[in-house]
Amino acid sequence: QVHCSITGTVSLDAHKKGINMSRIMRTFYEYDEAGGPGNLTPHTLQKVVYGYLQNLESSSARIAIAFDYPLLQGSLRSGLSGYQYYPVVLETTVAPDQGVRQMMHLDFVYSSACPCSYELSVHANLSRGVAAVPHSQRSVSKISVAYDGDFWIEDLVDIGRDTLQTETQVMVKREDEQAFAELNAANLKFVEDAVRLLYEGLDADSRINDFRVFASHKESLHSHDAISVIVKGVPGGFDANIEPFTY
């Protein structure tokens, strides 16, 4: 069980002044009580939004459920493990022009080591015999996908892990820290590299119809963040000029 925050919305006709707000709550609880514990699925959320349309006499509706999803993560070398918590939003919308749209939003946190800084550090060591440390930083990719079929949070996490390779760690001993340093050196990336790597992984999954990646590298060199955004480019889909989903 996880603690969730729930947003339910419906459209309002031009001549109306308000809605029965309690019906949004009552409609959700009807499906919550009918489904029982452990039955939060995309199909359940579709039932809720159609319930909104019927109970509130609306033409479009949306529900978004935000929570931190725990997944056990093994350490790189020491054999330890601990829970990584992923901020997730499951969102379902229904509108006359789009029909039902099922979306997932995930924050994936990783380390990014700068390729330029790495080269300068090696050059300082080789040319002048001076020790230098390339800069790296904790980075966040806010991934939004629109999907069909059975697509799970674990699937999206796996895409992040497989493409970026440098997810931040939960349990770390010295051998894990060394392994992580080796991973960073083997997977140097600018923020533009990060979104392109995720693009390849997301585009390869046939269940994903549309996606947007908003990556932010919390620079340890600069006093500002490096930002990059990429979308699949589906007409009428996610817009690169819109800020990522926040709850």
Coordinates of all heavy atoms in Angstrom, one line a residue, residues 160-241:
G160 N 14.6 3.5 -18.4 CA 15.5 4.5 -17.8 C 16.8 3.8 -17.4 O 17.9 4.4 -17.7
R161 N 16.8 2.7 -16.8 CA 18.0 2.0 -16.3 C 18.8 1.5 -17.5 O 20.1 1.7 -17.5 CB 17.6 0.8 -15.4 CG 17.1 1.2 -14.0 CD 16.7 0.0 -13.3 NE 16.3 0.3 -11.9 CZ 15.8 -0.6 -11.0 NH1 15.6 -1.8 -11.4 NH2 15.5 -0.2 -9.8
D162 N 18.2 0.9 -18.5 CA 18.9 0.3 -19.6 C 19.5 1.4 -20.5 O 20.6 1.2 -21.1 CB 18.0 -0.5 -20.4 CG 17.5 -1.8 -19.7 OD1 18.2 -2.1 -18.7 OD2 16.5 -2.4 -20.1
T163 N 18.9 2.5 -20.7 CA 19.4 3.5 -21.6 C 20.4 4.5 -21.0 O 21.4 4.8 -21.6 CB 18.2 4.4 -22.2 OG1 17.5 5.0 -21.1 CG2 17.3 3.5 -23.0
L164 N 20.2 4.9 -19.7 CA 21.1 5.8 -19.1 C 22.2 5.2 -18.3 O 23.3 5.8 -18.2 CB 20.3 6.7 -18.2 CG 19.2 7.6 -18.9 CD1 18.4 8.4 -17.8 CD2 19.8 8.5 -19.9
Q165 N 22.0 4.0 -17.7 CA 23.0 3.2 -17.1 C 23.5 3.7 -15.8 O 24.3 3.0 -15.1 CB 24.2 3.0 -18.1 CG 23.9 2.2 -19.3 CD 23.7 0.7 -18.9 OE1 24.5 0.1 -18.2 NE2 22.7 0.1 -19.5
T166 N 23.2 4.9 -15.4 CA 23.8 5.5 -14.2 C 22.8 6.0 -13.2 O 22.9 7.1 -12.6 CB 24.7 6.7 -14.6 OG1 24.0 7.6 -15.4 CG2 25.9 6.2 -15.3
E167 N 21.8 5.1 -12.9 CA 20.8 5.5 -11.9 C 21.5 5.7 -10.5 O 22.4 4.9 -10.2 CB 19.7 4.4 -11.8 CG 18.6 4.7 -10.8 CD 17.6 3.6 -10.7 OE1 17.9 2.5 -11.1 OE2 16.5 3.9 -10.3
T168 N 21.0 6.6 -9.8 CA 21.5 6.8 -8.4 C 21.2 5.6 -7.6 O 20.3 4.9 -7.8 CB 21.0 8.1 -7.8 OG1 19.5 8.0 -7.8 CG2 21.4 9.3 -8.5
Q169 N 22.1 5.4 -6.6 CA 22.1 4.1 -5.8 C 21.5 4.4 -4.4 O 21.5 5.4 -3.8 CB 23.5 3.6 -5.7 CG 24.1 3.3 -7.0 CD 23.4 2.2 -7.7 OE1 23.4 1.0 -7.3 NE2 22.9 2.5 -8.9
V170 N 20.9 3.3 -3.8 CA 20.4 3.3 -2.5 C 21.4 2.8 -1.5 O 21.7 3.5 -0.5 CB 19.1 2.4 -2.4 CG1 18.5 2.4 -1.0 CG2 18.0 2.9 -3.4
M171 N 21.9 1.6 -1.7 CA 22.9 1.0 -0.7 C 24.3 1.0 -1.4 O 24.5 0.5 -2.5 CB 22.5 -0.4 -0.4 CG 21.2 -0.5 0.5 SD 21.5 0.1 2.1 CE 20.0 -0.4 2.9
V172 N 25.2 1.6 -0.7 CA 26.5 1.8 -1.3 C 27.6 1.5 -0.3 O 27.7 2.1 0.8 CB 26.7 3.3 -1.8 CG1 28.1 3.5 -2.3 CG2 25.7 3.6 -2.9
K173 N 28.5 0.6 -0.6 CA 29.8 0.4 0.1 C 30.9 0.9 -0.8 O 30.6 1.3 -2.0 CB 29.9 -1.1 0.5 CG 28.9 -1.6 1.5 CD 29.1 -3.0 1.9 CE 30.2 -3.2 2.8 NZ 30.3 -4.6 3.3
R174 N 32.1 0.7 -0.4 CA 33.2 1.3 -1.2 C 33.3 0.6 -2.5 O 33.6 1.3 -3.6 CB 34.6 1.1 -0.4 CG 34.7 2.0 0.8 CD 36.1 1.8 1.5 NE 37.2 2.1 0.7 CZ 37.7 3.4 0.5 NH1 37.1 4.4 1.1 NH2 38.7 3.6 -0.3
E175 N 33.1 -0.7 -2.6 CA 33.2 -1.4 -3.9 C 32.0 -0.9 -4.8 O 32.2 -0.9 -6.1 CB 33.1 -2.9 -3.7 CG 31.9 -3.4 -3.0 CD 32.2 -3.7 -1.5 OE1 32.9 -2.8 -0.9 OE2 31.8 -4.8 -1.0
D176 N 30.9 -0.6 -4.3 CA 29.8 0.0 -5.1 C 30.1 1.4 -5.6 O 29.8 1.7 -6.7 CB 28.5 0.0 -4.3 CG 28.1 -1.3 -3.7 OD1 28.1 -2.3 -4.5 OD2 27.8 -1.4 -2.5
E177 N 30.7 2.2 -4.7 CA 31.1 3.5 -5.2 C 32.1 3.5 -6.3 O 32.0 4.3 -7.3 CB 31.7 4.3 -4.0 CG 32.0 5.8 -4.3 CD 32.3 6.6 -3.1 OE1 32.3 6.0 -2.0 OE2 32.6 7.8 -3.3
Q178 N 33.0 2.5 -6.2 CA 34.0 2.4 -7.3 C 33.3 2.0 -8.6 O 33.6 2.5 -9.7 CB 35.1 1.4 -6.9 CG 36.2 1.2 -8.0 CD 37.2 0.2 -7.6 OE1 36.9 -1.0 -7.4 NE2 38.5 0.6 -7.4
A179 N 32.4 1.0 -8.5 CA 31.7 0.5 -9.7 C 30.9 1.7 -10.3 O 30.7 1.8 -11.5 CB 30.8 -0.6 -9.3
F180 N 30.3 2.5 -9.4 CA 29.5 3.6 -9.9 C 30.4 4.6 -10.7 O 30.0 5.2 -11.7 CB 28.8 4.3 -8.8 CG 27.7 5.3 -9.2 CD1 26.6 4.8 -9.8 CD2 27.8 6.6 -8.9 CE1 25.6 5.7 -10.2 CE2 26.8 7.5 -9.3 CZ 25.7 7.0 -9.9
A181 N 31.6 4.9 -10.1 CA 32.5 5.8 -10.8 C 32.9 5.2 -12.2 O 33.0 6.0 -13.2 CB 33.7 6.0 -10.0
E182 N 33.1 3.9 -12.3 CA 33.4 3.3 -13.5 C 32.2 3.4 -14.5 O 32.4 3.6 -15.7 CB 33.8 1.8 -13.3 CG 35.0 1.6 -12.5 CD 35.3 0.2 -12.1 OE1 34.5 -0.7 -12.5 OE2 36.2 -0.1 -11.3
L183 N 31.0 3.2 -14.0 CA 29.8 3.4 -14.9 C 29.7 4.8 -15.4 O 29.4 5.0 -16.6 CB 28.6 3.1 -14.1 CG 28.1 1.6 -14.0 CD1 26.9 1.5 -13.2 CD2 27.9 1.0 -15.4
N184 N 30.0 5.8 -14.6 CA 29.9 7.2 -15.0 C 31.0 7.5 -16.1 O 30.7 8.1 -17.1 CB 30.1 8.1 -13.8 CG 28.8 8.7 -13.3 OD1 28.0 9.1 -14.1 ND2 28.7 8.7 -12.0
A185 N 32.2 6.9 -15.9 CA 33.2 7.1 -16.9 C 32.9 6.4 -18.3 O 33.2 6.9 -19.3 CB 34.5 6.6 -16.4
A186 N 32.2 5.3 -18.2 CA 31.8 4.6 -19.4 C 30.5 5.1 -20.1 O 30.2 4.7 -21.2 CB 31.6 3.1 -19.0
N187 N 29.8 6.0 -19.4 CA 28.6 6.5 -19.9 C 28.5 8.0 -19.7 O 27.5 8.6 -19.2 CB 27.4 5.9 -19.2 CG 27.3 4.4 -19.4 OD1 26.7 3.9 -20.4 ND2 27.8 3.6 -18.5
L188 N 29.5 8.7 -20.2 CA 29.5 10.2 -20.2 C 28.4 10.7 -21.0 O 28.1 10.2 -22.0 CB 30.9 10.7 -20.7 CG 32.2 10.2 -20.1 CD1 33.4 10.5 -20.9 CD2 32.3 10.7 -18.6
K189 N 27.8 11.8 -20.5 CA 26.6 12.3 -21.3 C 26.3 13.8 -20.9 O 26.3 14.2 -19.8 CB 25.4 11.5 -21.1 CG 25.1 11.1 -19.7 CD 23.9 10.1 -19.6 CE 23.7 9.4 -18.3 NZ 24.7 8.4 -18.0
F190 N 26.1 14.5 -22.0 CA 25.5 15.8 -21.9 C 24.0 15.6 -21.7 O 23.5 14.6 -21.9 CB 25.8 16.7 -23.1 CG 27.2 17.0 -23.3 CD1 27.9 16.5 -24.4 CD2 27.9 17.9 -22.4 CE1 29.3 16.9 -24.6 CE2 29.2 18.2 -22.6 CZ 29.9 17.7 -23.7
V191 N 23.3 16.7 -21.3 CA 21.9 16.6 -21.2 C 21.2 16.2 -22.5 O 20.2 15.5 -22.5 CB 21.3 17.9 -20.6 CG1 21.4 19.1 -21.6 CG2 19.8 17.7 -20.1
E192 N 21.7 16.7 -23.6 CA 21.2 16.3 -24.9 C 21.3 14.8 -25.2 O 20.5 14.2 -25.8 CB 21.8 17.1 -26.0 CG 21.6 18.6 -25.9 CD 22.7 19.3 -25.1 OE1 23.5 18.6 -24.4 OE2 22.7 20.6 -25.1
D193 N 22.5 14.3 -24.8 CA 22.7 12.8 -24.9 C 21.7 12.0 -24.1 O 21.1 11.0 -24.6 CB 24.1 12.5 -24.4 CG 25.2 13.1 -25.2 OD1 25.0 13.2 -26.5 OD2 26.2 13.5 -24.6
A194 N 21.4 12.5 -22.9 CA 20.4 11.8 -22.1 C 19.0 11.7 -22.7 O 18.4 10.6 -22.7 CB 20.3 12.5 -20.7
V195 N 18.5 12.8 -23.2 CA 17.2 12.7 -23.8 C 17.2 11.9 -25.1 O 16.2 11.2 -25.4 CB 16.6 14.1 -24.1 CG1 16.4 14.9 -22.8 CG2 17.4 14.9 -25.1
R196 N 18.3 11.9 -25.9 CA 18.3 11.1 -27.1 C 18.4 9.6 -26.8 O 17.8 8.8 -27.5 CB 19.5 11.6 -27.9 CG 19.3 12.9 -28.6 CD 20.5 13.5 -29.2 NE 20.3 14.8 -29.8 CZ 21.2 15.8 -29.9 NH1 22.5 15.5 -29.5 NH2 20.9 16.9 -30.4
L197 N 19.1 9.3 -25.7 CA 19.2 7.9 -25.3 C 17.8 7.4 -24.9 O 17.4 6.3 -25.2 CB 20.2 7.7 -24.1 CG 21.7 7.8 -24.5 CD1 22.5 7.9 -23.2 CD2 22.1 6.7 -25.3
L198 N 17.1 8.2 -24.1 CA 15.8 7.8 -23.7 C 14.8 7.7 -24.9 O 13.9 6.9 -24.9 CB 15.2 8.8 -22.6 CG 15.8 8.6 -21.2 CD1 15.6 9.8 -20.4 CD2 15.3 7.4 -20.6
Y199 N 15.0 8.6 -25.8 CA 14.2 8.6 -27.0 C 14.3 7.2 -27.7 O 13.3 6.6 -28.1 CB 14.6 9.7 -28.0 CG 13.8 9.8 -29.3 CD1 12.8 10.9 -29.4 CD2 13.9 8.9 -30.3 CE1 12.0 11.0 -30.5 CE2 13.1 9.0 -31.4 CZ 12.2 10.0 -31.5 OH 11.4 10.1 -32.6
E200 N 15.5 6.7 -27.9 CA 15.7 5.4 -28.5 C 15.0 4.3 -27.8 O 14.4 3.4 -28.4 CB 17.2 5.1 -28.6 CG 17.9 6.1 -29.6 CD 19.4 5.8 -29.6 OE1 19.9 4.9 -28.9 OE2 20.1 6.5 -30.4
G201 N 15.1 4.3 -26.4 CA 14.5 3.3 -25.6 C 13.0 3.3 -25.7 O 12.3 2.3 -25.8
L202 N 12.4 4.5 -25.6 CA 11.0 4.7 -25.6 C 10.4 4.4 -26.9 O 9.3 3.8 -27.1 CB 10.6 6.1 -25.1 CG 11.0 6.5 -23.7 CD1 10.9 8.0 -23.5 CD2 10.1 5.8 -22.7
D203 N 11.0 4.8 -28.0 CA 10.5 4.7 -29.4 C 10.6 3.2 -29.8 O 9.8 2.8 -30.6 CB 11.4 5.5 -30.3 CG 10.7 5.6 -31.7 OD1 9.5 6.0 -31.7 OD2 11.4 5.4 -32.7
A204 N 11.4 2.4 -29.1 CA 11.5 1.0 -29.5 C 10.4 0.1 -28.9 O 10.2 -1.0 -29.2 CB 12.9 0.4 -29.0
D205 N 9.6 0.7 -27.9 CA 8.6 -0.1 -27.3 C 7.2 0.2 -28.0 O 6.8 1.3 -28.0 CB 8.4 0.4 -25.8 CG 7.6 -0.6 -25.0 OD1 6.5 -1.0 -25.4 OD2 8.1 -1.0 -23.9
S206 N 6.7 -0.8 -28.6 CA 5.5 -0.7 -29.4 C 4.3 -0.3 -28.6 O 3.3 0.2 -29.2 CB 5.2 -2.0 -30.2 OG 5.0 -3.1 -29.3
R207 N 4.3 -0.5 -27.3 CA 3.1 -0.1 -26.5 C 3.0 1.4 -26.3 O 1.9 1.9 -25.9 CB 3.2 -0.8 -25.2 CG 3.1 -2.4 -25.2 CD 3.5 -3.0 -23.9 NE 4.9 -2.7 -23.6 CZ 5.4 -3.2 -22.5 NH1 4.8 -3.9 -21.6 NH2 6.7 -2.9 -22.2
I208 N 4.1 2.1 -26.5 CA 4.1 3.5 -26.2 C 3.8 4.3 -27.5 O 4.5 4.2 -28.5 CB 5.5 4.0 -25.7 CG1 5.9 3.3 -24.4 CG2 5.6 5.5 -25.6 CD1 7.3 3.5 -23.9
N209 N 2.7 5.0 -27.5 CA 2.2 5.8 -28.6 C 2.9 7.2 -28.8 O 3.1 7.7 -29.9 CB 0.7 6.0 -28.6 CG 0.0 4.7 -28.5 OD1 0.3 3.7 -29.1 ND2 -1.1 4.6 -27.6
D210 N 3.2 7.8 -27.6 CA 3.7 9.1 -27.6 C 4.5 9.3 -26.3 O 4.3 8.6 -25.3 CB 2.6 10.1 -27.7 CG 3.0 11.6 -27.9 OD1 4.2 11.7 -28.3 OD2 2.3 12.5 -27.6
F211 N 5.5 10.2 -26.4 CA 6.3 10.4 -25.1 C 6.9 11.8 -25.2 O 7.1 12.4 -26.2 CB 7.3 9.3 -25.0 CG 8.3 9.2 -26.1 CD1 9.4 10.0 -26.3 CD2 8.1 8.2 -27.0 CE1 10.3 9.9 -27.3 CE2 9.0 8.0 -28.1 CZ 10.1 8.9 -28.2
R212 N 7.3 12.3 -24.0 CA 8.1 13.5 -23.8 C 9.1 13.2 -22.7 O 8.7 12.6 -21.7 CB 7.2 14.7 -23.5 CG 8.0 16.0 -23.2 CD 7.1 17.1 -22.8 NE 6.3 16.9 -21.6 CZ 5.1 17.2 -21.5 NH1 4.4 17.8 -22.4 NH2 4.4 16.9 -20.3
V213 N 10.3 13.7 -22.9 CA 11.3 13.6 -21.9 C 11.8 15.0 -21.6 O 12.2 15.7 -22.5 CB 12.5 12.7 -22.4 CG1 13.6 12.7 -21.3 CG2 12.0 11.3 -22.7
F214 N 11.8 15.4 -20.3 CA 12.3 16.7 -19.9 C 13.4 16.4 -18.9 O 13.2 15.9 -17.8 CB 11.1 17.4 -19.2 CG 11.5 18.8 -18.7 CD1 11.1 19.9 -19.4 CD2 12.3 19.0 -17.6 CE1 11.4 21.2 -19.0 CE2 12.6 20.3 -17.1 CZ 12.1 21.4 -17.9
A215 N 14.7 16.6 -19.3 CA 15.8 16.3 -18.5 C 16.5 17.5 -18.0 O 16.6 18.5 -18.7 CB 16.8 15.5 -19.3
S216 N 16.9 17.4 -16.7 CA 17.5 18.5 -16.0 C 18.8 18.1 -15.3 O 18.7 17.2 -14.5 CB 16.6 19.2 -15.0 OG 17.2 20.2 -14.3
H217 N 19.9 18.6 -15.7 CA 21.2 18.3 -15.1 C 21.5 19.4 -14.1 O 21.7 20.6 -14.5 CB 22.3 18.1 -16.1 CG 22.2 16.9 -16.9 ND1 23.2 16.4 -17.7 CD2 21.2 15.9 -16.9 CE1 22.8 15.3 -18.3 NE2 21.6 15.0 -17.8
K218 N 21.5 19.1 -12.8 CA 21.7 20.1 -11.7 C 23.2 20.4 -11.6 O 24.0 19.8 -10.8 CB 21.2 19.6 -10.4 CG 19.8 19.0 -10.5 CD 18.8 20.0 -10.9 CE 17.4 19.3 -10.9 NZ 16.4 20.3 -11.3
E219 N 23.7 21.2 -12.5 CA 25.1 21.4 -12.7 C 25.9 21.7 -11.4 O 25.6 22.5 -10.6 CB 25.3 22.6 -13.7 CG 24.9 22.4 -15.1 CD 25.9 21.5 -15.8 OE1 27.1 21.8 -15.7 OE2 25.4 20.6 -16.6
S220 N 27.0 21.0 -11.3 CA 28.0 21.2 -10.2 C 29.1 22.2 -10.6 O 29.8 22.7 -9.8 CB 28.6 19.9 -9.8 OG 29.4 19.4 -10.9
L221 N 29.1 22.6 -11.9 CA 30.1 23.6 -12.4 C 29.4 24.9 -12.5 O 29.9 25.9 -12.0 CB 30.7 23.2 -13.8 CG 31.4 24.2 -14.5 CD1 32.7 24.6 -13.8 CD2 31.8 23.7 -15.9
H222 N 28.2 25.0 -13.2 CA 27.5 26.2 -13.4 C 26.6 26.5 -12.3 O 26.2 25.7 -11.5 CB 26.7 26.1 -14.8 CG 27.6 25.8 -15.9 ND1 28.5 26.7 -16.5 CD2 27.7 24.7 -16.7 CE1 29.1 26.1 -17.5 NE2 28.6 24.9 -17.7
S223 N 26.2 27.8 -12.2 CA 25.2 28.2 -11.3 C 23.8 28.1 -11.8 O 22.8 28.7 -11.2 CB 25.5 29.7 -10.8 OG 26.7 29.8 -10.2
H224 N 23.6 27.3 -12.8 CA 22.3 27.1 -13.4 C 22.2 25.7 -13.9 O 23.2 25.0 -14.1 CB 22.0 28.1 -14.6 CG 23.2 28.2 -15.5 ND1 24.2 29.1 -15.4 CD2 23.5 27.5 -16.6 CE1 25.1 29.0 -16.4 NE2 24.6 28.0 -17.1
D225 N 21.0 25.2 -14.2 CA 20.8 23.9 -14.7 C 20.9 23.8 -16.2 O 20.6 24.8 -16.9 CB 19.4 23.3 -14.3 CG 19.3 23.3 -12.8 OD1 20.3 23.3 -12.1 OD2 18.1 23.2 -12.3
A226 N 21.3 22.6 -16.7 CA 21.2 22.4 -18.1 C 19.9 21.6 -18.4 O 19.7 20.6 -17.8 CB 22.4 21.6 -18.6
I227 N 19.1 22.1 -19.3 CA 17.8 21.5 -19.6 C 17.7 21.1 -21.1 O 18.2 21.7 -22.0 CB 16.7 22.5 -19.4 CG1 16.8 23.0 -17.9 CG2 15.3 22.0 -19.7 CD1 16.4 22.0 -16.9
S228 N 17.1 19.9 -21.3 CA 16.8 19.5 -22.7 C 15.5 18.8 -22.7 O 15.1 18.1 -21.7 CB 17.9 18.5 -23.2 OG 17.7 18.2 -24.5
V229 N 14.7 19.0 -23.8 CA 13.4 18.4 -23.9 C 13.3 17.7 -25.3 O 13.8 18.3 -26.3 CB 12.3 19.4 -23.8 CG1 10.9 18.8 -23.9 CG2 12.4 20.3 -22.6
I230 N 12.7 16.5 -25.3 CA 12.5 15.9 -26.6 C 11.2 15.2 -26.6 O 10.7 14.7 -25.5 CB 13.6 14.8 -26.9 CG1 13.7 14.5 -28.3 CG2 13.5 13.6 -26.0 CD1 15.0 13.7 -28.7
V231 N 10.5 15.2 -27.7 CA 9.2 14.5 -27.8 C 9.2 13.6 -29.0 O 10.1 13.7 -29.9 CB 8.0 15.5 -28.0 CG1 7.9 16.4 -26.8 CG2 8.2 16.3 -29.3
K232 N 8.3 12.6 -29.0 CA 8.2 11.7 -30.2 C 7.8 12.5 -31.5 O 8.3 12.1 -32.5 CB 7.2 10.6 -29.9 CG 7.2 9.5 -31.0 CD 6.4 8.3 -30.7 CE 6.5 7.3 -31.8 NZ 5.8 6.0 -31.4
G233 N 7.0 13.5 -31.3 CA 6.6 14.3 -32.5 C 5.3 13.8 -33.1 O 5.1 14.1 -34.3
V234 N 4.4 13.2 -32.3 CA 3.1 12.8 -32.8 C 2.2 14.0 -33.0 O 2.1 14.8 -32.0 CB 2.5 11.7 -31.9 CG1 1.1 11.4 -32.4 CG2 3.3 10.5 -31.8
P235 N 1.5 14.2 -34.1 CA 0.6 15.3 -34.2 C -0.5 15.3 -33.2 O -1.1 14.2 -32.9 CB -0.1 15.1 -35.6 CG 1.0 14.3 -36.4 CD 1.6 13.4 -35.4
G236 N -0.7 16.4 -32.5 CA -1.6 16.5 -31.4 C -1.2 15.8 -30.1 O -2.0 15.7 -29.2
G237 N 0.1 15.4 -30.1 CA 0.6 14.7 -28.9 C 1.3 15.7 -27.9 O 1.0 16.8 -27.8
F238 N 2.2 15.1 -27.2 CA 3.0 15.9 -26.2 C 3.7 17.1 -26.9 O 4.3 16.9 -27.9 CB 4.0 15.0 -25.4 CG 3.4 14.1 -24.4 CD1 3.5 12.7 -24.6 CD2 2.7 14.6 -23.3 CE1 2.9 11.8 -23.7 CE2 2.1 13.7 -22.4 CZ 2.2 12.3 -22.6
D239 N 3.7 18.2 -26.2 CA 4.3 19.4 -26.8 C 5.6 19.7 -26.0 O 5.7 19.7 -24.8 CB 3.3 20.6 -26.5 CG 3.8 21.9 -27.3 OD1 5.0 22.0 -27.6 OD2 2.9 22.7 -27.5
A240 N 6.7 19.9 -26.8 CA 8.0 20.2 -26.2 C 8.0 21.5 -25.5 O 8.9 21.8 -24.7 CB 9.1 20.1 -27.3
N241 N 7.1 22.4 -25.8 CA 7.1 23.8 -25.2 C 6.4 23.9 -23.9 O 6.3 24.9 -23.3 CB 6.6 24.8 -26.2 CG 7.4 24.9 -27.5 OD1 8.6 24.9 -27.4 ND2 6.8 24.9 -28.6

